[in-house]
Amino acid sequence: MIVSRRLLLGAAVVLAGSGSYLLGRSTPKEDAIADPDSYAAKLGRQQGLTIGFGDPSTFYVPPYLPADAPVEGVVLSAADHTAVKDSLRGIARAFEAYPEQCLGRIIKAIFIAGRILIDGAEAGGTYGLDWIFLAAPSNVSAETRQLTAELGVHHETSSFIWLRNDALQRAFSALEPAGWQFQNSATDQIARNGQTAPAVETGFLSAYGATTSENDFNTYAEIVFSDPGRLIKLAESVPVIAKKLALTLDSYIAIDERLRETFARSGLLKAAGR
């Protein structure tokens, strides 16, 4: 369903301005991305995928064809050259959370657009047939563009883990509160973004994560790779969060066994009872 295909740009704006989002990862300096094309190719080789930008009609990779570039309900515009550099910095930071060539086992490409409109609403990211899109709009700060890309890599890629794993969907959904009312439209989901999160005892990590089961999983995956300390603390005191965390970790380890060591090193496996 198209309504679950986004990382809301507003979420990145809030995080960028809050000072609460901290990572022990390096950010590429300005002179490291003098040539965005070369830098994007270098990053792509690191994770075994293509990173592209420019004309949205070119946003596809073989064996797909130009007709496969458009996504129903999604309008993409080309990104400004400077804005692309900010997104590449965010992508580079995100890539540090994964073993080399890991993400290439999940998606084939990452495309950077200017604005992404989903059913007329502005979003920070979405996904296509075998790739993800990240927004780099010119009307926000460089910090926000970078953070949108960084979080978007984790958030949007996780949808492919979700969509290809029926057992994960059943197990994750079984942990949702009985009778919980999800949001069926993009407008309703967007309206929840930035609102107060439900009580942690529900197992939801944000108001946006509480809008659909897929968005719930996306939020867990995003925080696993961007702020594991937060999930460790929550899992220690909220059993349902520990269970959802375990499902999230297992789903990624099934894709790349090397992630077991990554999660063990961060303390996530222990927090999940694995």
Side-chain angles (χ1 to χ4, degrees):
M1 269 181 85
I2 193 69
V3 294
S4 294
R5 296 182 175 185
R6 81 252 317 122
L7 161 67
L8 294 178
L9 188 62
V13 173
V14 170
L15 285 165
S18 69
S20 62
Y21 180 77
L22 301 174
L23 286 177
R25 298 181 186 133
S26 59
T27 301
K29 296 181 180 179
E30 177 68 28
D31 57 4
I33 317 180
D35 181 352
D37 291 284
S38 296
Y39 191 76
K42 176 183 176 182
L43 281 180
R45 289 191 296 270
Q46 178 182 334
Q47 284 296 337
L49 47 76
T50 296
I51 298 176
F53 44 87
D55 183 352
S57 69
T58 66
F59 288 177
Y60 66 93
V61 290
Y64 298 95
L65 301 172
D68 298 311
V71 180
E72 183 181 356
V74 178
V75 177
L76 306 170
S77 64
D80 175 82
H81 190 78
T82 300
V84 166
K85 292 184 179 182
D86 298 325
S87 293
L88 289 174
R89 290 188 187 89
I91 292 170
R93 283 172 62 91
F95 278 10
E96 291 185 33
Y98 303 87
E100 289 192 2
Q101 307 294 306
C102 174
L103 289 175
R105 300 182 182 190
I106 306 171
I107 57 174
K108 294 184 182 298
I110 297 173
F111 295 111
I112 303 170
R115 296 179 70 199
I116 299 176
L117 299 178
I118 301 177
D119 295 337
E122 189 161 9
T126 189
Y127 58 81
L129 295 178
D130 212 351
W131 46 78
I132 67 173
F133 305 102
L134 302 175
S138 298
N139 63 338
V140 300
S141 70
E143 183 182 20
T144 296
R145 284 192 291 270
Q146 178 181 306
L147 188 56
T148 297
E150 184 176 353
L151 297 180
V153 168
H154 308 311
H155 189 107
E156 300 301 340
T157 300
S158 72
S159 279
F160 289 91
I161 302 287
W162 175 263
L163 295 169
R164 295 166 181 165
N165 193 331
D166 291 340
L168 169 67
Q169 293 180 35
R170 290 192 297 271
F172 217 81
S173 299
L175 295 173
E176 312 289 21
W180 189 264
Q181 296 296 308
F182 287 119
Q183 308 304 309
N184 294 319
S185 73
T187 301
D188 290 340
Q189 290 178 39
I190 290 170
R192 291 294 181 93
N193 187 53
Q195 293 185 0
T196 302
V200 293
E201 289 76 18
T202 63
F204 295 117
L205 303 178
S206 70
Y208 179 67
T211 57
T212 72
S213 291
E214 182 182 344
N215 290 340
D216 188 16
F217 176 74
N218 292 154
T219 304
Y220 269 80
E222 176 187 312
I223 298 174
V224 158
F225 289 105
S226 66
D227 192 5
R230 176 187 170 195
L231 265 177
I232 290 170
K233 286 184 177 181
L234 289 171
E236 288 173 346
S237 59
V238 184
V240 69
I241 291 180
K243 291 177 182 178
K244 286 186 176 182
L245 173 59
L247 290 171
T248 303
L249 301 183
D250 289 347
S251 69
Y252 274 88
I253 291 170
I255 298 295
D256 192 329
E257 179 64 29
R258 294 175 297 171
L259 285 168
R260 186 183 302 277
E261 180 182 350
T262 300
F263 298 148
R265 190 167 56 246
S266 68
L268 285 166
L269 278 184
K270 181 178 179 181
R274 288 295 192 254

